[in-house]
């Protein structure tokens, strides 16, 4: 039956309303769990706080397990879900830029807005930086276009490109996540505690 | 007051949660796999197949055409040659071979019109009906007896004999009137002006493509 909106279980008009509600909830939970602090976010790079890694890894694992159970039980059609298109080099270069921005600025785009909302000046400066980046990118778009549009691999998932059974992939992915949690906990214990 | 037992259990909470995740993921691996089929289940197909709604009689169809009922599409599943030789008024030709072409599916998979399938008898039309039903296309019906029955009842109705009930005579006069609508001339009508050409006009039907949007998302 699912996804609910494309299959008409929820009228199309609700699309934006639901998006706003989910967005509000997302922002609230980001802030409530301390993600509006750039020190906490940057902690993952310095080894004193791995909350970012844990949260996003857990979210990915839970979502993928949930989706595949729903798909298995017939409540959700996996093939109808939106899969983000892969532009290989665009993603790699963009990922590096994003990572550098993350470690220097201490925010990712979403959390910077969250931080700005509670009045953090560094977050506001970060947003200004994003806007400048957007401006530079759009001005030089013709220059970047071959990378931006090129190396298109289609709407691929890891399961497609690796050619493994999704169920085994999820199992291995879960184990990797749990091992990663354990390892980062050991690292955190060794690194000098930072108060923030 | 600290509940010591609870505190003891909670000190293991990450291990318990990790175990739950592993179990759930392992469950996905261990679950018996099955091939999902598209369309409706065999039970549903059976209940559609034995439903009296499945067939439409030639009399009902003639009535619909004469009344210029706009709510149905007549689809001829015979090959093009037979379609050109003779077809029912306003019919659209979708040969059985081309049933699942994209262009044909646009006609078949929609729920604005009732779709009436026919062939020479109802053999091919039935096959088309089953395929369409299996794919969960809606509102499909089969013309009972097909073109042969159409000839036998509407175009050339059998005259009832004197010992038949009155209903048979009513039906005959209805069918005769219908056949006159479709261009059959009877000797007792002395009017030579009635045209006997049975030209099939093609009705233009706009079929909207079914909206199938992929859900979009992003970070």
């Amino acid at each position: 039956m699912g996804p609910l909106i494309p299959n008409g279980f929820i009228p199309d008009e609700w699309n934006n309303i639901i998006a706003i509600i989910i967005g509000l909830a997302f922002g609230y939970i980001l802030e409530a769990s301390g993600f509006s602090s750039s020190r906490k976010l940057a902690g993952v790079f310095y080894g004193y706080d791995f909350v970012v890694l844990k949260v996003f890894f857990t979210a990915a694992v839970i979502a993928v397990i949930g989706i595949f159970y729903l798909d298995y039980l017939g409540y959700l059609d996996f093939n109808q879900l939106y899969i983000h298109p892969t532009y290989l080099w665009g993603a790699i270069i963009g990922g590096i830029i994003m990572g550098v921005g993350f470690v220097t600025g201490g925010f990712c785009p979403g959390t910077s807005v969250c931080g700005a909302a509670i009045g953090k000046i560094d977050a506001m400066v970060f947003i200004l930086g994003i806007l400048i980046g957007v401006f530079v990118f759009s001005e030089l778009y013709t220059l970047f276009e071959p990378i931006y549009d090129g190396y298109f691999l289609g709407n691929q998932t890891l399961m497609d490109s690796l050619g493994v059974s999704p169920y085994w992939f999820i199992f291995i992915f879960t184990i990797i996540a749990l091992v990663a949690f354990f390892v980062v906990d050991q690292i955190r214990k060794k690194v000098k505690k930072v108060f923030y | 007051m600290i509940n010591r037992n609870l505190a003891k259990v909670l000190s293991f909470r990450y291990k318990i949660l990790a175990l739950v995740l592993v179990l759930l993921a392992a469950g996905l691996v261990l679950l018996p796999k099955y091939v999902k089929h598209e369309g409706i289940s065999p039970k549903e197909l059976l209940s559609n197949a034995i439903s009296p709604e499945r067939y439409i009689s030639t009399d009902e169809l003639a009535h619909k055409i004469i009344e210029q009922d706009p709510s149905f599409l007549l689809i001829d599943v015979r090959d093009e040659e037979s379609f050109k030789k003779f077809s029912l008024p306003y019919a659209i030709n979708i040969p059985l071979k081309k049933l699942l072409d994209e262009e044909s599916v646009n006609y078949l998979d929609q729920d604005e019109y009732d779709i009436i399938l026919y062939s020479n008898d109802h053999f091919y039309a039935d096959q088309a009906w089953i395929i369409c039903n299996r794919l969960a296309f809606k509102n499909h019906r089969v013309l009972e007896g097909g073109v042969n029955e159409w000839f036998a009842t509407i175009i050339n109705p059998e005259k009832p004999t004197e010992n038949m009930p009155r209903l048979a005579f009513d039906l005959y006069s209805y069918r005769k009137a219908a056949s006159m609508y479709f261009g059959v001339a009877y000797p007792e009508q002395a009017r030579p002006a009635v045209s006997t050409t049975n030209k099939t006009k093609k009705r233009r039907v706009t079929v909207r493509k079914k909206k199938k949007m992929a859900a979009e998302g992003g970070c």
Side-chain angles (χ1 to χ4, degrees):
Chain A
M1 61 185 262
L4 296 174
I5 292 173
N7 287 349
F9 286 94
I10 298 175
D12 214 19
E13 290 75 15
W14 279 92
N15 212 341
N16 289 334
I17 297 169
I18 293 172
I20 288 170
I21 294 169
I22 293 176
L24 287 173
F26 181 60
Y28 173 78
I29 288 169
L30 273 185
E31 159 54 21
S33 47
F35 273 54
S36 48
S37 156
S38 54
R39 296 190 190 101
K40 194 177 189 78
L41 292 171
V44 72
F45 297 103
Y46 299 106
Y48 59 82
D49 195 328
F50 286 100
V51 144
V52 176
L53 182 134
K54 285 179 184 168
V55 163
F56 283 104
F57 229 153
T58 315
V61 169
I62 301 231
V64 79
I65 290 177
I67 284 172
F68 272 84
Y69 269 107
L70 289 179
D71 181 63
Y72 184 85
L73 298 173
Y75 294 118
L76 180 73
D77 187 359
F78 179 72
N79 296 321
Q80 279 185 2
L81 293 183
Y82 173 77
I83 293 166
H84 205 65
T86 306
Y87 294 94
L88 188 64
W89 280 101
I92 291 174
I93 295 169
I96 291 171
I97 295 173
M98 155 107 187
V100 171
F102 201 154
V103 72
T104 49
F107 287 110
C108 76
T111 52
S112 71
V113 179
C114 202
I118 59 165
K120 296 218 161 168
I121 294 163
D122 57 346
M124 293 174 195
V125 175
F126 192 94
I127 291 179
L128 198 68
I130 292 178
L131 294 178
I132 293 171
V134 169
F135 179 73
V136 170
F137 179 80
S138 12
E139 282 303 307
L140 297 180
Y141 179 71
T142 44
L143 192 66
F144 297 135
E145 204 180 357
I147 302 176
Y148 183 76
D149 277 340
Y151 310 103
F152 179 61
L153 300 183
N155 298 27
Q156 270 200 332
T157 59
L158 268 177
M159 300 143 195
D160 298 331
S161 52
L162 296 180
V164 291
S165 143
Y167 301 108
W168 275 106
F169 178 80
I170 292 166
F171 183 67
I172 294 164
F173 186 68
T174 311
I175 301 290
I176 292 174
L178 294 174
V179 170
F181 296 162
F182 179 74
V183 170
V184 295
D185 250 9
Q186 300 305 312
I187 295 173
R188 193 183 53 120
K189 275 176 195 159
K190 287 200 180 128
V191 172
K192 205 177 137 215
K193 218 161 171 76
V194 174
F195 290 96
Y196 51 91
Chain B
M1 268 280 279
I2 298 165
N3 185 337
R4 280 175 191 282
N5 283 331
L6 188 66
K8 218 180 207 172
V9 173
L10 283 184
S11 67
F12 290 110
R13 61 188 182 279
Y14 293 120
K15 280 175 194 130
I16 294 168
L17 287 173
L19 192 69
V20 168
L21 271 186
V22 171
L23 284 179
L24 281 174
L28 275 179
V29 174
L30 297 176
L31 278 175
K33 303 297 176 291
Y34 62 93
V35 180
K36 274 188 219 165
H37 66 183
E38 277 179 32
I40 63 173
S41 69
K43 263 184 203 162
E44 229 172 309
L45 185 60
L46 178 65
S47 90
N48 284 348
I50 57 180
S51 151
E53 290 276 292
R54 178 177 175 181
Y55 290 106
I56 179 168
S57 72
T58 46
D59 295 321
E60 277 175 86
L61 179 64
H63 182 71
K64 270 181 190 281
I65 294 175
I66 293 167
E67 293 280 302
Q68 303 196 319
D69 187 338
S71 70
F72 72 98
L73 280 185
L74 250 182
I75 290 186
D76 188 332
V77 298
R78 301 171 305 162
D79 51 22
E80 256 169 70
E81 215 172 291
S82 334
F83 178 73
K84 274 182 195 150
K85 226 181 265 170
F86 174 80
S87 71
L88 301 187
Y90 311 122
I92 295 166
N93 183 218
I94 298 179
L96 194 58
K97 271 188 278 184
K98 295 183 185 164
L99 193 73
L100 297 179
D101 287 6
E102 199 185 340
E103 204 186 325
S104 323
V105 168
N106 285 337
Y107 281 110
L108 299 171
D109 184 17
Q110 39 95 19
D111 45 14
E112 281 167 46
Y113 297 100
D114 281 339
I115 286 171
I116 299 170
L117 302 160
Y118 74 89
S119 51
N120 275 339
D121 44 22
H122 55 238
F123 187 69
Y124 286 124
D126 257 347
Q127 289 177 335
W129 182 90
I130 288 199
I131 292 168
C132 291
N133 259 267
R134 171 72 176 69
L135 291 171
F137 299 170
K138 288 184 190 111
N139 304 333
H140 281 232
R141 297 176 82 182
V142 171
L143 178 65
E144 194 162 20
V147 174
N148 294 341
E149 185 74 10
W150 177 266
F151 261 104
T153 54
I154 304 297
I155 302 297
N156 189 17
E158 205 179 326
K159 207 170 180 178
T161 49
E162 276 167 22
N163 56 358
M164 281 172 119
R166 207 183 129 204
L167 274 177
F169 283 91
D170 286 349
L171 188 63
Y172 174 71
S173 62
Y174 166 74
R175 285 176 172 173
K176 201 171 144 189
S179 70
M180 279 167 8
Y181 175 87
F182 292 111
V184 178
Y186 286 87
E188 61 259 34
Q189 290 178 299
R191 297 219 314 268
V194 178
S195 109
T196 48
T197 47
N198 188 5
K199 213 172 183 189
T200 54
K201 274 179 273 175
K202 288 220 179 84
R203 188 165 56 161
R204 282 190 179 277
V205 181
T206 48
V207 173
R208 265 184 281 149
K209 272 201 171 173
K210 224 181 180 187
K211 214 164 57 173
K212 255 183 196 160
M213 264 179 359
E216 288 203 26
C219 174

